[in-house]
Amino acid sequence: METGRRPRLNVAYGSWELIWEHVHRVLVVNLGIAVTHLPLLLALQLSHQPWRHPVFFGLLLLVLPGPSLAAAFAYLGATTGDEQRPVRLFARAYRQLFRRAVLVSAPFVLLVIAAVADAVAVRTTTLGPAVVPMAVVVALVAALAWPVALAHVAGGGAVGRRLFLRAPYAVVRHGVLALMNLVLGIVLLFLVNQAPLLGLAVLPGCVLFVVWRNCRVMVVFQGRGAVADPVVREAVREVVPEGRCDATDSFRSRASRATPTGR
């Protein structure tokens, strides 16, 4: 009696290598996000009602998330299509982008906090029906423009007044991508809240990879003073001063010198 042939998973060696490189990239981002947010995670373990300590948690939100997301975007940009890169590449990006990422993050975070506080304060007053929807829209646009601005910084873009106008404009112009980022962020926060250890070990890198891809499209601004896709060097040269290289290319070149390129 003949038996059916057992199906075999026929995947080329190069495909397995590509899969593992992506898994390695995601794990490094997960580790970097978890380590850089340890103070915030510990504070949330001590206080389950962070809104009762607005100053303390507000300072943590101003300082911690921005540099870690910018470093994650820079790491993803420097490792896409290349060899596996070590964790120290994330650490180097975090150190070099820390100040600029905080400067970019602060206005967006403060705007979100102010809009939410206004919505909560006036929701039961006569002005509530008129003010609350506007405050919610402002908070959402600011929250969605925040990763777009950080993608600009991670790609070597300059920090200026135009950035804080063009990032919200990019959110409005690319509404579908912005909505996708919003849904992914809500799902990430919900799952991490339900299972913190498992969520932080698996999800942030996967979600940020998609968000970074979307932001690379949204960050292509019109005019001088913005940065395009960091892979496109000619677009970067339009805004990066002469003699200054793209931050992503800098991280990639340093990692290439530290990691052998031979198979």
Side-chain angles (χ1 to χ4, degrees):
M1 181 177 179
E2 294 183 0
T3 58
R5 298 180 60 183
R6 180 179 298 177
R8 294 184 301 175
L9 184 60
N10 187 14
V11 181
Y13 169 77
S15 300
W16 284 117
E17 186 179 18
L18 181 62
I19 293 172
W20 171 243
E21 288 178 358
H22 180 71
V23 171
H24 177 270
R25 188 181 304 123
V26 168
L27 291 177
V28 170
V29 172
N30 291 345
L31 178 62
I33 293 295
V35 172
T36 54
H37 284 82
L38 275 179
L40 180 59
L41 296 175
L42 293 176
L44 289 174
Q45 289 297 318
L46 297 176
S47 175
H48 298 287
Q49 296 179 333
W51 55 87
R52 293 183 178 274
H53 311 280
V55 177
F56 176 73
F57 282 95
L59 290 176
L60 290 180
L61 291 176
L62 285 174
V63 175
L64 296 181
S68 62
L69 290 185
F73 290 158
Y75 180 85
L76 291 172
T79 57
T80 299
D82 290 335
E83 297 279 346
Q84 298 175 10
R85 300 306 185 193
V87 180
R88 64 176 177 272
L89 180 61
F90 183 98
R92 184 183 300 122
Y94 183 85
R95 184 177 66 254
Q96 294 185 1
L97 295 174
F98 184 89
R99 179 176 174 273
R100 298 169 65 201
V102 170
L103 291 177
V104 169
S105 297
F108 292 107
V109 174
L110 290 175
L111 186 58
V112 171
I113 294 175
V116 172
D118 289 343
V120 172
V122 303
R123 72 183 188 279
T124 57
T125 65
T126 56
L127 297 177
V131 175
V132 170
M134 292 189 295
V136 171
V137 171
V138 170
L140 287 177
V141 172
L144 293 173
W146 176 51
V148 178
L150 291 176
H152 172 91
V153 172
V159 178
R161 289 177 297 178
R162 290 185 178 183
L163 175 61
F164 301 105
L165 297 177
R166 294 180 182 273
Y169 170 74
V171 170
V172 176
R173 182 179 180 184
H174 300 275
V176 176
L177 296 178
L179 181 61
M180 184 185 301
N181 290 346
L182 176 62
V183 172
L184 289 174
I186 293 175
V187 172
L188 173 63
L189 292 177
F190 175 77
L191 294 178
V192 170
N193 181 67
Q194 296 299 315
L197 294 179
L198 182 61
L200 289 174
V202 177
L203 296 177
C206 300
V207 171
L208 288 179
F209 181 81
V210 179
V211 172
W212 169 70
R213 287 284 188 177
N214 292 341
C215 289
R216 290 214 311 177
V217 177
M218 299 167 67
V219 83
V220 181
F221 299 137
Q222 297 289 335
R224 189 174 179 85
V227 65
D229 184 343
V231 178
V232 186
R233 298 186 60 86
E234 293 299 327
V236 174
R237 289 174 183 169
E238 294 181 1
V239 296
V240 178
E242 190 67 20
R244 173 184 167 195
C245 62
D246 180 13
T248 300
D249 293 336
S250 174
F251 301 144
R252 183 186 293 115
S253 62
R254 294 181 183 180
S256 299
R257 291 195 297 267
T259 306
T261 57
R263 297 284 180 185

